[in-house]
Amino acid sequence: MHENGNGGGRQAESEAAGKDVDQPGFLALERELTVLLRRARGNQAEMAREVHPDLESSAYGLLVRLGECGGQRATELAAYIGVGKATMSRQLRALEELRLIAREPDPADGRAWLVDLTPEGRDRVRRVREARRARYAGRLADWDPREVSELARLLHELNRGMAR
């Protein structure tokens, strides 16, 4: 999630870390994460185009979230992705126009709406994700399966730590 906008949390983190940031491990981490994130952005754009040629790459993560979690309110999606309501509304409108998502009344609150993948959207996202996992399997074929699991575990821990 994103900071509250005042930057105070990051300043405190920087001061607390102090001299530790120049350790070789943190330098290597920064370098490798920079490469990973650059490649991830490129892959996300490619996967978005595979779902639909007109899909914005930033909306791909939204579709994945809906595929994994099912129907959600726009406010929940905005909080998860870390964008404002206006940005979320624009992205959802574009996804509706592409017929990848649909809105339906929230059974728990008739005033609210849930957003979910359409059957076509679900099928397209599923196919792209399966192809991506097959690419990972091919590129990491010489890895021990335990190493793949350990990498997934460490990335999960990193993501958890970064969300604080």
Side-chain angles (χ1 to χ4, degrees), residues 87-113:
T87 300
M88 182 56 54
S89 292
R90 182 185 59 76
Q91 286 186 338
L92 293 177
R93 223 176 3 264
L95 291 170
E96 279 183 299
E97 289 172 8
L98 296 174
R99 296 182 173 21
L100 298 172
I101 66 162
R103 298 175 201 240
E104 58 186 43
D106 184 344
D109 181 354
R111 301 166 296 169
W113 293 85

PDB file of all heavy atoms in Angstrom, residues 87-113:
ATOM      1  N   THR A  87      -9.019   7.275 -10.505  1.00  0.00           N
ATOM      2  CA  THR A  87      -8.220   6.382 -11.350  1.00  0.00           C
ATOM      3  C   THR A  87      -8.887   5.025 -11.460  1.00  0.00           C
ATOM      4  O   THR A  87      -8.976   4.447 -12.549  1.00  0.00           O
ATOM      5  CB  THR A  87      -6.796   6.233 -10.776  1.00  0.00           C
ATOM      6  OG1 THR A  87      -6.189   7.527 -10.747  1.00  0.00           O
ATOM      7  CG2 THR A  87      -5.955   5.286 -11.603  1.00  0.00           C
ATOM      8  N   MET A  88      -9.388   4.521 -10.331  1.00  0.00           N
ATOM      9  CA  MET A  88     -10.043   3.221 -10.347  1.00  0.00           C
ATOM     10  C   MET A  88     -11.294   3.260 -11.216  1.00  0.00           C
ATOM     11  O   MET A  88     -11.539   2.335 -12.003  1.00  0.00           O
ATOM     12  CB  MET A  88     -10.391   2.778  -8.915  1.00  0.00           C
ATOM     13  CG  MET A  88     -11.033   1.409  -8.837  1.00  0.00           C
ATOM     14  SD  MET A  88     -10.080   0.056  -9.591  1.00  0.00           S
ATOM     15  CE  MET A  88      -8.511   0.202  -8.777  1.00  0.00           C
ATOM     16  N   SER A  89     -12.078   4.296 -11.095  1.00  0.00           N
ATOM     17  CA  SER A  89     -13.299   4.419 -11.915  1.00  0.00           C
ATOM     18  C   SER A  89     -12.962   4.419 -13.395  1.00  0.00           C
ATOM     19  O   SER A  89     -13.630   3.750 -14.193  1.00  0.00           O
ATOM     20  CB  SER A  89     -14.047   5.696 -11.562  1.00  0.00           C
ATOM     21  OG  SER A  89     -14.573   5.610 -10.268  1.00  0.00           O
ATOM     22  N   ARG A  90     -11.914   5.144 -13.772  1.00  0.00           N
ATOM     23  CA  ARG A  90     -11.515   5.203 -15.185  1.00  0.00           C
ATOM     24  C   ARG A  90     -11.076   3.821 -15.663  1.00  0.00           C
ATOM     25  O   ARG A  90     -11.478   3.377 -16.740  1.00  0.00           O
ATOM     26  CB  ARG A  90     -10.386   6.220 -15.362  1.00  0.00           C
ATOM     27  CG  ARG A  90      -9.943   6.387 -16.808  1.00  0.00           C
ATOM     28  CD  ARG A  90      -8.739   7.300 -16.945  1.00  0.00           C
ATOM     29  NE  ARG A  90      -7.564   6.838 -16.216  1.00  0.00           N
ATOM     30  CZ  ARG A  90      -6.770   5.834 -16.598  1.00  0.00           C
ATOM     31  NH1 ARG A  90      -7.039   5.163 -17.698  1.00  0.00           N
ATOM     32  NH2 ARG A  90      -5.716   5.490 -15.887  1.00  0.00           N
ATOM     33  N   GLN A  91     -10.268   3.126 -14.862  1.00  0.00           N
ATOM     34  CA  GLN A  91      -9.812   1.800 -15.269  1.00  0.00           C
ATOM     35  C   GLN A  91     -10.974   0.812 -15.365  1.00  0.00           C
ATOM     36  O   GLN A  91     -11.031   0.015 -16.307  1.00  0.00           O
ATOM     37  CB  GLN A  91      -8.756   1.275 -14.298  1.00  0.00           C
ATOM     38  CG  GLN A  91      -7.417   1.956 -14.451  1.00  0.00           C
ATOM     39  CD  GLN A  91      -6.348   1.335 -13.583  1.00  0.00           C
ATOM     40  OE1 GLN A  91      -6.622   0.679 -12.589  1.00  0.00           O
ATOM     41  NE2 GLN A  91      -5.097   1.570 -13.953  1.00  0.00           N
ATOM     42  N   LEU A  92     -11.896   0.868 -14.420  1.00  0.00           N
ATOM     43  CA  LEU A  92     -13.035  -0.047 -14.459  1.00  0.00           C
ATOM     44  C   LEU A  92     -13.928   0.225 -15.654  1.00  0.00           C
ATOM     45  O   LEU A  92     -14.420  -0.710 -16.296  1.00  0.00           O
ATOM     46  CB  LEU A  92     -13.829   0.036 -13.151  1.00  0.00           C
ATOM     47  CG  LEU A  92     -13.112  -0.488 -11.908  1.00  0.00           C
ATOM     48  CD1 LEU A  92     -13.959  -0.277 -10.667  1.00  0.00           C
ATOM     49  CD2 LEU A  92     -12.724  -1.952 -12.062  1.00  0.00           C
ATOM     50  N   ARG A  93     -14.124   1.490 -15.967  1.00  0.00           N
ATOM     51  CA  ARG A  93     -14.919   1.843 -17.145  1.00  0.00           C
ATOM     52  C   ARG A  93     -14.284   1.260 -18.410  1.00  0.00           C
ATOM     53  O   ARG A  93     -14.963   0.677 -19.256  1.00  0.00           O
ATOM     54  CB  ARG A  93     -15.028   3.368 -17.256  1.00  0.00           C
ATOM     55  CG  ARG A  93     -16.390   3.863 -17.600  1.00  0.00           C
ATOM     56  CD  ARG A  93     -16.583   5.369 -17.621  1.00  0.00           C
ATOM     57  NE  ARG A  93     -15.437   6.232 -17.375  1.00  0.00           N
ATOM     58  CZ  ARG A  93     -15.121   6.760 -16.182  1.00  0.00           C
ATOM     59  NH1 ARG A  93     -15.859   6.502 -15.120  1.00  0.00           N
ATOM     60  NH2 ARG A  93     -14.077   7.547 -16.057  1.00  0.00           N
ATOM     61  N   ALA A  94     -12.974   1.405 -18.533  1.00  0.00           N
ATOM     62  CA  ALA A  94     -12.274   0.868 -19.705  1.00  0.00           C
ATOM     63  C   ALA A  94     -12.400  -0.654 -19.762  1.00  0.00           C
ATOM     64  O   ALA A  94     -12.616  -1.222 -20.846  1.00  0.00           O
ATOM     65  CB  ALA A  94     -10.805   1.281 -19.665  1.00  0.00           C
ATOM     66  N   LEU A  95     -12.310  -1.329 -18.621  1.00  0.00           N
ATOM     67  CA  LEU A  95     -12.432  -2.787 -18.592  1.00  0.00           C
ATOM     68  C   LEU A  95     -13.847  -3.238 -18.932  1.00  0.00           C
ATOM     69  O   LEU A  95     -14.035  -4.275 -19.577  1.00  0.00           O
ATOM     70  CB  LEU A  95     -12.016  -3.326 -17.225  1.00  0.00           C
ATOM     71  CG  LEU A  95     -10.526  -3.197 -16.896  1.00  0.00           C
ATOM     72  CD1 LEU A  95     -10.268  -3.544 -15.434  1.00  0.00           C
ATOM     73  CD2 LEU A  95      -9.697  -4.074 -17.812  1.00  0.00           C
ATOM     74  N   GLU A  96     -14.825  -2.453 -18.519  1.00  0.00           N
ATOM     75  CA  GLU A  96     -16.221  -2.760 -18.891  1.00  0.00           C
ATOM     76  C   GLU A  96     -16.408  -2.616 -20.394  1.00  0.00           C
ATOM     77  O   GLU A  96     -17.060  -3.458 -21.025  1.00  0.00           O
ATOM     78  CB  GLU A  96     -17.185  -1.824 -18.169  1.00  0.00           C
ATOM     79  CG  GLU A  96     -17.489  -2.234 -16.754  1.00  0.00           C
ATOM     80  CD  GLU A  96     -18.499  -1.325 -16.102  1.00  0.00           C
ATOM     81  OE1 GLU A  96     -18.221  -0.110 -15.973  1.00  0.00           O
ATOM     82  OE2 GLU A  96     -19.577  -1.833 -15.729  1.00  0.00           O
ATOM     83  N   GLU A  97     -15.841  -1.564 -20.964  1.00  0.00           N
ATOM     84  CA  GLU A  97     -15.965  -1.351 -22.414  1.00  0.00           C
ATOM     85  C   GLU A  97     -15.324  -2.492 -23.196  1.00  0.00           C
ATOM     86  O   GLU A  97     -15.786  -2.826 -24.291  1.00  0.00           O
ATOM     87  CB  GLU A  97     -15.345  -0.011 -22.804  1.00  0.00           C
ATOM     88  CG  GLU A  97     -16.161   1.180 -22.338  1.00  0.00           C
ATOM     89  CD  GLU A  97     -15.459   2.514 -22.552  1.00  0.00           C
ATOM     90  OE1 GLU A  97     -14.392   2.548 -23.203  1.00  0.00           O
ATOM     91  OE2 GLU A  97     -15.990   3.523 -22.052  1.00  0.00           O
ATOM     92  N   LEU A  98     -14.276  -3.091 -22.652  1.00  0.00           N
ATOM     93  CA  LEU A  98     -13.627  -4.229 -23.301  1.00  0.00           C
ATOM     94  C   LEU A  98     -14.343  -5.544 -22.993  1.00  0.00           C
ATOM     95  O   LEU A  98     -13.926  -6.595 -23.455  1.00  0.00           O
ATOM     96  CB  LEU A  98     -12.158  -4.325 -22.847  1.00  0.00           C
ATOM     97  CG  LEU A  98     -11.254  -3.164 -23.236  1.00  0.00           C
ATOM     98  CD1 LEU A  98      -9.871  -3.326 -22.605  1.00  0.00           C
ATOM     99  CD2 LEU A  98     -11.161  -3.025 -24.744  1.00  0.00           C
ATOM    100  N   ARG A  99     -15.411  -5.472 -22.194  1.00  0.00           N
ATOM    101  CA  ARG A  99     -16.208  -6.629 -21.800  1.00  0.00           C
ATOM    102  C   ARG A  99     -15.414  -7.661 -20.995  1.00  0.00           C
ATOM    103  O   ARG A  99     -15.661  -8.869 -21.081  1.00  0.00           O
ATOM    104  CB  ARG A  99     -16.865  -7.290 -22.995  1.00  0.00           C
ATOM    105  CG  ARG A  99     -17.885  -6.423 -23.708  1.00  0.00           C
ATOM    106  CD  ARG A  99     -18.513  -7.164 -24.845  1.00  0.00           C
ATOM    107  NE  ARG A  99     -19.591  -6.677 -25.609  1.00  0.00           N
ATOM    108  CZ  ARG A  99     -20.053  -5.461 -25.801  1.00  0.00           C
ATOM    109  NH1 ARG A  99     -19.533  -4.469 -25.212  1.00  0.00           N
ATOM    110  NH2 ARG A  99     -21.064  -5.183 -26.593  1.00  0.00           N
ATOM    111  N   LEU A 100     -14.439  -7.171 -20.229  1.00  0.00           N
ATOM    112  CA  LEU A 100     -13.637  -8.055 -19.391  1.00  0.00           C
ATOM    113  C   LEU A 100     -14.169  -8.129 -17.966  1.00  0.00           C
ATOM    114  O   LEU A 100     -13.915  -9.110 -17.257  1.00  0.00           O
ATOM    115  CB  LEU A 100     -12.172  -7.588 -19.381  1.00  0.00           C
ATOM    116  CG  LEU A 100     -11.480  -7.622 -20.748  1.00  0.00           C
ATOM    117  CD1 LEU A 100     -10.111  -6.970 -20.657  1.00  0.00           C
ATOM    118  CD2 LEU A 100     -11.381  -9.052 -21.267  1.00  0.00           C
ATOM    119  N   ILE A 101     -14.899  -7.097 -17.537  1.00  0.00           N
ATOM    120  CA  ILE A 101     -15.515  -7.083 -16.213  1.00  0.00           C
ATOM    121  C   ILE A 101     -16.966  -6.654 -16.335  1.00  0.00           C
ATOM    122  O   ILE A 101     -17.375  -6.084 -17.360  1.00  0.00           O
ATOM    123  CB  ILE A 101     -14.793  -6.138 -15.221  1.00  0.00           C
ATOM    124  CG1 ILE A 101     -14.928  -4.674 -15.664  1.00  0.00           C
ATOM    125  CG2 ILE A 101     -13.341  -6.550 -15.030  1.00  0.00           C
ATOM    126  CD1 ILE A 101     -14.643  -3.670 -14.571  1.00  0.00           C
ATOM    127  N   ALA A 102     -17.715  -6.918 -15.284  1.00  0.00           N
ATOM    128  CA  ALA A 102     -19.101  -6.457 -15.178  1.00  0.00           C
ATOM    129  C   ALA A 102     -19.349  -6.073 -13.728  1.00  0.00           C
ATOM    130  O   ALA A 102     -18.674  -6.571 -12.818  1.00  0.00           O
ATOM    131  CB  ALA A 102     -20.067  -7.561 -15.614  1.00  0.00           C
ATOM    132  N   ARG A 103     -20.312  -5.186 -13.542  1.00  0.00           N
ATOM    133  CA  ARG A 103     -20.710  -4.786 -12.183  1.00  0.00           C
ATOM    134  C   ARG A 103     -22.054  -5.414 -11.884  1.00  0.00           C
ATOM    135  O   ARG A 103     -22.903  -5.544 -12.744  1.00  0.00           O
ATOM    136  CB  ARG A 103     -20.831  -3.266 -12.097  1.00  0.00           C
ATOM    137  CG  ARG A 103     -19.550  -2.533 -12.355  1.00  0.00           C
ATOM    138  CD  ARG A 103     -19.802  -1.028 -12.357  1.00  0.00           C
ATOM    139  NE  ARG A 103     -18.761  -0.329 -13.062  1.00  0.00           N
ATOM    140  CZ  ARG A 103     -17.977   0.588 -12.519  1.00  0.00           C
ATOM    141  NH1 ARG A 103     -18.137   0.922 -11.265  1.00  0.00           N
ATOM    142  NH2 ARG A 103     -17.046   1.177 -13.221  1.00  0.00           N
ATOM    143  N   GLU A 104     -22.206  -5.783 -10.611  1.00  0.00           N
ATOM    144  CA  GLU A 104     -23.485  -6.333 -10.158  1.00  0.00           C
ATOM    145  C   GLU A 104     -23.755  -5.816  -8.751  1.00  0.00           C
ATOM    146  O   GLU A 104     -22.812  -5.491  -8.017  1.00  0.00           O
ATOM    147  CB  GLU A 104     -23.457  -7.857 -10.191  1.00  0.00           C
ATOM    148  CG  GLU A 104     -22.353  -8.463  -9.360  1.00  0.00           C
ATOM    149  CD  GLU A 104     -22.252  -9.969  -9.529  1.00  0.00           C
ATOM    150  OE1 GLU A 104     -22.350 -10.453 -10.660  1.00  0.00           O
ATOM    151  OE2 GLU A 104     -22.066 -10.648  -8.504  1.00  0.00           O
ATOM    152  N   PRO A 105     -25.015  -5.725  -8.356  1.00  0.00           N
ATOM    153  CA  PRO A 105     -25.320  -5.236  -7.004  1.00  0.00           C
ATOM    154  C   PRO A 105     -24.694  -6.133  -5.945  1.00  0.00           C
ATOM    155  O   PRO A 105     -24.663  -7.353  -6.079  1.00  0.00           O
ATOM    156  CB  PRO A 105     -26.843  -5.297  -6.932  1.00  0.00           C
ATOM    157  CG  PRO A 105     -27.307  -5.337  -8.344  1.00  0.00           C
ATOM    158  CD  PRO A 105     -26.213  -6.011  -9.133  1.00  0.00           C
ATOM    159  N   ASP A 106     -24.196  -5.515  -4.892  1.00  0.00           N
ATOM    160  CA  ASP A 106     -23.609  -6.242  -3.770  1.00  0.00           C
ATOM    161  C   ASP A 106     -24.756  -6.833  -2.957  1.00  0.00           C
ATOM    162  O   ASP A 106     -25.589  -6.101  -2.429  1.00  0.00           O
ATOM    163  CB  ASP A 106     -22.778  -5.282  -2.922  1.00  0.00           C
ATOM    164  CG  ASP A 106     -22.055  -5.964  -1.774  1.00  0.00           C
ATOM    165  OD1 ASP A 106     -22.405  -7.115  -1.430  1.00  0.00           O
ATOM    166  OD2 ASP A 106     -21.131  -5.347  -1.225  1.00  0.00           O
ATOM    167  N   PRO A 107     -24.824  -8.172  -2.831  1.00  0.00           N
ATOM    168  CA  PRO A 107     -25.928  -8.773  -2.079  1.00  0.00           C
ATOM    169  C   PRO A 107     -25.942  -8.358  -0.600  1.00  0.00           C
ATOM    170  O   PRO A 107     -26.989  -8.354   0.026  1.00  0.00           O
ATOM    171  CB  PRO A 107     -25.711 -10.273  -2.221  1.00  0.00           C
ATOM    172  CG  PRO A 107     -24.384 -10.465  -2.846  1.00  0.00           C
ATOM    173  CD  PRO A 107     -23.918  -9.155  -3.392  1.00  0.00           C
ATOM    174  N   ALA A 108     -24.779  -7.957  -0.080  1.00  0.00           N
ATOM    175  CA  ALA A 108     -24.703  -7.543   1.326  1.00  0.00           C
ATOM    176  C   ALA A 108     -25.140  -6.095   1.527  1.00  0.00           C
ATOM    177  O   ALA A 108     -25.464  -5.704   2.642  1.00  0.00           O
ATOM    178  CB  ALA A 108     -23.272  -7.722   1.842  1.00  0.00           C
ATOM    179  N   ASP A 109     -25.150  -5.302   0.443  1.00  0.00           N
ATOM    180  CA  ASP A 109     -25.515  -3.890   0.532  1.00  0.00           C
ATOM    181  C   ASP A 109     -26.036  -3.455  -0.830  1.00  0.00           C
ATOM    182  O   ASP A 109     -25.248  -3.215  -1.751  1.00  0.00           O
ATOM    183  CB  ASP A 109     -24.302  -3.054   0.943  1.00  0.00           C
ATOM    184  CG  ASP A 109     -24.608  -1.574   1.072  1.00  0.00           C
ATOM    185  OD1 ASP A 109     -25.737  -1.154   0.728  1.00  0.00           O
ATOM    186  OD2 ASP A 109     -23.718  -0.828   1.505  1.00  0.00           O
ATOM    187  N   GLY A 110     -27.331  -3.381  -0.979  1.00  0.00           N
ATOM    188  CA  GLY A 110     -27.962  -3.060  -2.255  1.00  0.00           C
ATOM    189  C   GLY A 110     -27.553  -1.724  -2.845  1.00  0.00           C
ATOM    190  O   GLY A 110     -27.745  -1.486  -4.031  1.00  0.00           O
ATOM    191  N   ARG A 111     -26.969  -0.838  -2.039  1.00  0.00           N
ATOM    192  CA  ARG A 111     -26.524   0.453  -2.558  1.00  0.00           C
ATOM    193  C   ARG A 111     -25.166   0.368  -3.231  1.00  0.00           C
ATOM    194  O   ARG A 111     -24.777   1.245  -3.984  1.00  0.00           O
ATOM    195  CB  ARG A 111     -26.444   1.491  -1.426  1.00  0.00           C
ATOM    196  CG  ARG A 111     -27.768   1.717  -0.715  1.00  0.00           C
ATOM    197  CD  ARG A 111     -27.540   2.471   0.569  1.00  0.00           C
ATOM    198  NE  ARG A 111     -26.712   1.637   1.460  1.00  0.00           N
ATOM    199  CZ  ARG A 111     -26.141   2.044   2.571  1.00  0.00           C
ATOM    200  NH1 ARG A 111     -26.279   3.287   2.965  1.00  0.00           N
ATOM    201  NH2 ARG A 111     -25.424   1.233   3.316  1.00  0.00           N
ATOM    202  N   ALA A 112     -24.408  -0.695  -2.950  1.00  0.00           N
ATOM    203  CA  ALA A 112     -23.048  -0.838  -3.462  1.00  0.00           C
ATOM    204  C   ALA A 112     -23.021  -1.814  -4.642  1.00  0.00           C
ATOM    205  O   ALA A 112     -23.965  -2.573  -4.857  1.00  0.00           O
ATOM    206  CB  ALA A 112     -22.133  -1.324  -2.351  1.00  0.00           C
ATOM    207  N   TRP A 113     -21.925  -1.771  -5.378  1.00  0.00           N
ATOM    208  CA  TRP A 113     -21.731  -2.640  -6.531  1.00  0.00           C
ATOM    209  C   TRP A 113     -20.469  -3.459  -6.349  1.00  0.00           C
ATOM    210  O   TRP A 113     -19.489  -2.999  -5.780  1.00  0.00           O
ATOM    211  CB  TRP A 113     -21.599  -1.804  -7.804  1.00  0.00           C
ATOM    212  CG  TRP A 113     -22.852  -1.094  -8.165  1.00  0.00           C
ATOM    213  CD1 TRP A 113     -23.267   0.115  -7.698  1.00  0.00           C
ATOM    214  CD2 TRP A 113     -23.869  -1.559  -9.040  1.00  0.00           C
ATOM    215  NE1 TRP A 113     -24.493   0.430  -8.238  1.00  0.00           N
ATOM    216  CE2 TRP A 113     -24.882  -0.579  -9.075  1.00  0.00           C
ATOM    217  CE3 TRP A 113     -24.033  -2.704  -9.807  1.00  0.00           C
ATOM    218  CZ2 TRP A 113     -26.024  -0.716  -9.837  1.00  0.00           C
ATOM    219  CZ3 TRP A 113     -25.168  -2.837 -10.572  1.00  0.00           C
ATOM    220  CH2 TRP A 113     -26.158  -1.854 -10.577  1.00  0.00           C
TER     221      TRP A 113
END
